[in-house]
């Protein structure tokens, strides 16, 4: 295995999302409800890769940088399974949503961030709980009716409306995945709980 597989994965992922910002990848990968209903099912799973433009990509890059800071240098099997679970659950939410079109990493990114911070070996429980509470509060507030937290300046800068509901899907997927992991650790099939 590579010694710094986390950094390689995140750098490759960042490059892939930047590449998907351009044609023809954008057109092939973005979520379009009409095209999904015509059988292009992959769009619900690939929309996270597509960014509206470079500014949008830069905004979402922060999450990948945070992941690089909090994750160990080598990802575990549990990390890979969690990332896959979060991606699939978030994609299912997108598929079942009322959105007619969608692009952006931020939806699924909130779930990936939740998992990465919760499992980080570098920080104590208090710091992790505080950071996760801030992330949860942000997602709750931005989906509320409070007008002062709608990030209009950010929408203007990236030239696209922010799909706040997708942040709930990603965060919810991260919470569900982490809770399932916690249950498996506490109540394994062989009856011996792990630490």
């Amino acid at each position: 295995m590579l010694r710094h597989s986390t950094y390689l994965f995140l750098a490759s992922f960042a490059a892939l999302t930047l590449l998907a910002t351009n044609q023809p990848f954008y057109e092939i990968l973005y979520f379009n409800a009409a095209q999904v209903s015509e059988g292009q099912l992959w769009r619900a799973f690939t929309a996270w890769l597509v960014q509206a433009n470079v500014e949008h990509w830069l905004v979402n890059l922060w999450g990948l940088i945070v992941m690089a800071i909090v994750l160990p240098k080598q990802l575990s099997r549990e990390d890979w399974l969690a990332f896959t679970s979060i991606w699939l659950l978030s994609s299912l939410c997108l598929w079942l949503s009322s959105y007619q079109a969608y692009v952006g990493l931020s939806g699924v990114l909130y779930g990936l961030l939740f998992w990465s911070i919760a499992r980080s070996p570098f920080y104590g429980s208090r710091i992790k709980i505080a950071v996760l509470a801030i992330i949860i509060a942000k997602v709750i507030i931005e989906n509320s009716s409070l007008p002062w937290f709608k990030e209009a300046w950010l929408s203007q800068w990236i030239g696209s409306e922010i799909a706040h509901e997708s942040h709930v899907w990603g965060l919810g997927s991260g919470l569900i995945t982490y809770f399932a992991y916690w249950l498996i650790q506490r109540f394994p099939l062989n009856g011996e709980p792990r630490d």
Side-chain angles (χ1 to χ4, degrees), residues 10-181:
L10 292 171
S12 300
F13 191 61
L16 179 63
T17 58
L18 181 60
L19 181 64
T21 302
N22 300 296
Q23 295 295 347
F25 306 107
Y26 185 99
E27 192 61 37
I28 295 168
L29 301 175
Y30 86 100
F31 179 79
N32 179 306
Q35 291 174 322
V36 169
S37 67
E38 294 171 2
Q40 296 181 17
L41 305 179
W42 70 84
R43 292 178 179 275
F45 302 92
T46 60
W48 315 111
L49 299 173
V50 183
Q51 311 307 301
N53 49 43
V54 173
E55 291 83 2
H56 190 200
W57 177 78
L58 286 169
V59 169
N60 287 322
L61 186 61
W62 76 266
L64 297 177
I65 292 169
V66 170
M67 288 174 67
I69 293 168
V70 301
L71 285 169
K73 291 179 182 174
Q74 207 165 354
L75 295 174
S76 68
R77 183 174 58 106
E78 289 87 1
D79 294 325
W80 289 112
L81 288 172
F83 292 168
T84 302
S85 171
I86 292 164
W87 194 283
L88 292 175
L89 288 171
S90 298
S91 297
L92 181 62
C93 291
L94 176 58
W95 190 350
L96 298 173
S97 76
S98 61
Y99 284 5
Q100 295 304 302
Y102 179 87
V103 297
L105 180 61
S106 63
V108 75
L109 186 58
Y110 276 92
L112 299 175
L113 278 169
F114 184 91
W115 173 268
S116 300
I117 293 166
R119 291 265 299 145
S120 177
F122 303 121
Y123 305 97
S125 295
R126 288 184 183 171
I127 291 174
K128 290 194 278 191
I129 289 169
V131 172
L132 292 173
I134 290 168
I135 291 171
I136 291 168
K138 178 194 182 295
V139 171
I140 289 170
I141 292 169
E142 72 187 10
N143 280 279
S144 73
S145 59
L146 298 173
W148 50 268
F149 205 78
K150 292 299 180 191
E151 301 166 333
W153 66 271
L154 189 55
S155 291
Q156 289 175 349
W157 189 65
I158 66 172
S160 181
E161 287 296 316
I162 297 172
H164 295 290
E165 189 176 314
S166 71
H167 300 172
V168 174
W169 309 333
L171 181 60
S173 297
L175 283 162
I176 289 168
T177 300
Y178 189 78
F179 184 67
Y181 170 79

